[in-house]
Amino acid sequence: LRLQPSPAPLVVMADPKILKQAILNLMLNAVQAMPSGGELILAVRRADALAAISVIDTGPGMSAEVLHKIFHAYYSTKKGGTGLGLAMARRIIEEHGGQLSVRSEVGKGSEFTLTLPLEVRDVRE
């Protein structure tokens, strides 16, 4: 596990328990994609007016065909998988005004990035 925290605090309006569940779903999928080991990277950064959290793995990656289906409820490539983890994670992020996206390359791994609007604070506070 490698952490790449943001150099400055990022504040978003979110339910911390539900947001934690979405991130844990992404991290669990990443670990399960690397049964023989690999590297899991959790990176947090500012992207304009958004907080971006990326969960990156060095697993086998996914084909374009699989990428088009992974956020559909009940679709799973894992034996015994329910196909609900990614669909739930996307819904949680979208209900918080954010987005969940994925980039993947076969043989190199995957990167799931969730973005959430940063909380606007009054500078007089």
Side-chain angles (χ1 to χ4, degrees):
L1 174 63
R2 185 165 34 123
L3 300 175
Q4 296 176 347
S6 170
L10 302 175
V11 179
V12 298
M13 288 296 295
D15 181 318
K17 289 180 183 177
I18 295 173
L19 184 58
K20 178 181 175 181
Q21 185 61 53
I23 295 169
L24 285 175
N25 282 349
L26 297 173
M27 293 177 71
L28 180 60
N29 281 354
V31 169
Q32 290 173 345
M34 304 181 293
S36 300
E39 189 171 17
L40 172 62
I41 302 164
L42 184 61
V44 181
R45 69 186 187 290
R46 183 181 183 129
D48 297 321
L50 302 170
I53 302 170
S54 295
V55 178
I56 305 161
D57 69 64
T58 58
M62 294 176 277
S63 68
E65 181 181 329
V66 170
L67 283 173
H68 290 295
K69 300 176 187 176
I70 61 169
F71 292 114
H72 296 171
Y74 306 111
Y75 176 80
S76 180
T77 60
K78 295 184 279 189
K79 185 177 180 178
T82 64
L84 294 175
L86 289 175
M88 285 178 43
R90 179 176 255 185
R91 182 172 178 203
I92 288 168
I93 300 309
E94 288 176 350
E95 286 179 356
H96 283 84
Q99 294 184 340
L100 177 58
S101 60
V102 61
R103 288 186 350 202
S104 188
E105 189 175 336
V106 174
K108 294 194 175 184
S110 301
E111 177 177 354
F112 287 83
T113 300
L114 64 94
T115 55
L116 295 167
L118 287 168
E119 173 69 6
V120 178
R121 300 229 170 187
D122 188 337
V123 294
R124 295 172 288 183
E125 287 181 21

